[in-house]
Amino acid sequence: MRKEAIVVELPLLPELKDELSFAPAGNLTFLVTEYGRPFSENGLGSKMRQRCDEAGLPGCSAHGVRKAGATVAAENGVTHEQLKAIYGWTTYQQPDHYIRKARRRIVAQSARTLLVFDRNENEMSHFWRVEESGTKKYKKPN
């Protein structure tokens, strides 16, 4: 079964655009082997691993860089459709994974201040107290 080609619309970051200006003109393949031939998918992955090791990034890989890009985009507010266009995804499953994970992280970070007492007063700034009658009344801080 042959897969249908998917067009990927990848915006060029300024740094990549600058680097591409040094590539030979007229050649659509600029990531080539030492023999000047295009990398196979596995060959490019292996070369990326080798280069990451040389750069002192032993946990880095081509797939890891791709995942990091999707994570950064999601944390910066990318939409499902934008992720699908950039990464060539055809369903909402992958973009949803990254966007949900980013939202969880953002919401958790914004809630962290809600988990601590008012440290300036060394006590809770808002609390309930029980009156002798048994009713609860909100006591305003002094």
Side-chain angles (χ1 to χ4, degrees), residues 13-122:
L13 298 173
E15 298 85 357
L16 179 57
K17 190 173 183 178
D18 290 345
E19 287 299 318
L20 290 176
S21 70
F22 297 108
N27 191 355
L28 294 178
T29 304
F30 52 90
L31 294 175
V32 295
T33 67
E34 56 269 12
Y35 304 107
R37 303 194 60 164
F39 279 102
S40 67
E41 188 174 329
N42 289 337
L44 180 60
S46 295
K47 183 57 79 172
M48 182 71 171
R49 268 272 8 103
Q50 178 187 349
R51 295 294 187 179
C52 287
D53 289 343
E54 291 170 3
L57 303 168
C60 191
S61 67
H63 184 69
V65 170
R66 182 175 165 89
K67 287 173 62 174
T71 299
V72 167
E75 289 175 353
N76 286 331
V78 74
T79 68
H80 287 82
E81 291 299 327
Q82 288 170 322
L83 278 178
K84 284 174 62 181
I86 293 169
Y87 289 96
W89 296 324
T90 58
T91 70
Y92 287 94
Q93 185 177 357
Q94 281 301 111
D96 194 55
H97 166 77
Y98 288 101
I99 290 171
R100 290 174 76 138
K101 188 175 176 182
R103 285 183 186 156
R104 266 194 312 274
R105 185 176 296 125
I106 291 165
V107 169
Q109 285 295 321
S110 68
R112 67 189 166 117
T113 59
L114 303 173
L115 298 171
V116 297
F117 292 113
D118 183 349
R119 293 182 180 169
N120 294 332
E121 309 253 340
N122 203 23

